[in-house]
Amino acid sequence: MTAKIRRVFCIVLLIAVGAALGLGAPRAEPTAPDPNDAQLVARGKVVYDEQCARCHGANLEGQPDWRHRLPNGRMPAPPHDPTGHTWHHSDKQLFDMTKVGPGALVPGYQSDMPGFEDKLSDADIWAVLSYIESNKPAFDGRLRS
């Protein structure tokens, strides 16, 4: 076997192995939260810190006295830790609430939380939910689809 043929063979072999392992293939965008996907959770933390922490707290603690209305009549941002009620909602409800805002889901309900459909991709929303759900013992797998 000549050197040129060996090189071509090696290149073809490397391409075949890479394809078999999925190397270089784009990562599929998430369509649900996955608290066990370290990359997705890391992405979610970045997005959470940039878009959510301002109201929901850097440590998922929510705003103080979150169960009582603010002077404007609206509810404070709830925590996403064990003291909150996030885990009572399904993944779909949390996704929709984040995407369009609570006011769009509940007729007549006014909220300081906007919808993020113009700021966040669906994948970013799923990443944030993955980050929130990854914070044990707050959820311990209790979020339901």
Side-chain angles (χ1 to χ4, degrees), residues 20-135:
L21 296 175
L23 300 176
R27 182 181 167 104
E29 292 292 346
T31 57
D34 184 353
N36 299 311
D37 182 330
Q39 279 185 296
L40 191 58
V41 169
R43 174 181 177 178
K45 178 166 179 22
V46 169
V47 175
Y48 179 90
D49 289 346
E50 292 172 355
Q51 301 293 330
C52 312
R54 177 177 318 114
C55 296
H56 289 280
N59 297 306
L60 308 172
E61 73 273 15
Q63 292 177 324
D65 206 20
W66 67 273
R67 288 186 174 109
H68 298 97
R69 294 196 180 277
L70 297 167
N72 67 6
R74 296 176 180 181
M75 297 300 291
H80 295 305
D81 66 13
T83 67
H85 59 79
T86 304
W87 64 273
H88 288 223
H89 302 288
S90 72
D91 295 337
K92 174 91 169 88
Q93 288 171 325
L94 294 170
F95 176 88
D96 291 344
M97 196 175 308
T98 305
K99 185 165 183 155
V100 300
L105 296 176
V106 182
Y109 185 79
Q110 294 186 355
S111 174
D112 287 330
M113 182 174 163
F116 286 85
E117 61 191 325
D118 294 334
K119 289 186 176 187
L120 300 178
S121 68
D122 289 0
D124 284 337
I125 295 171
W126 289 123
V128 168
L129 296 176
S130 297
Y131 165 67
I132 291 170
E133 192 173 342
S134 75
N135 285 274

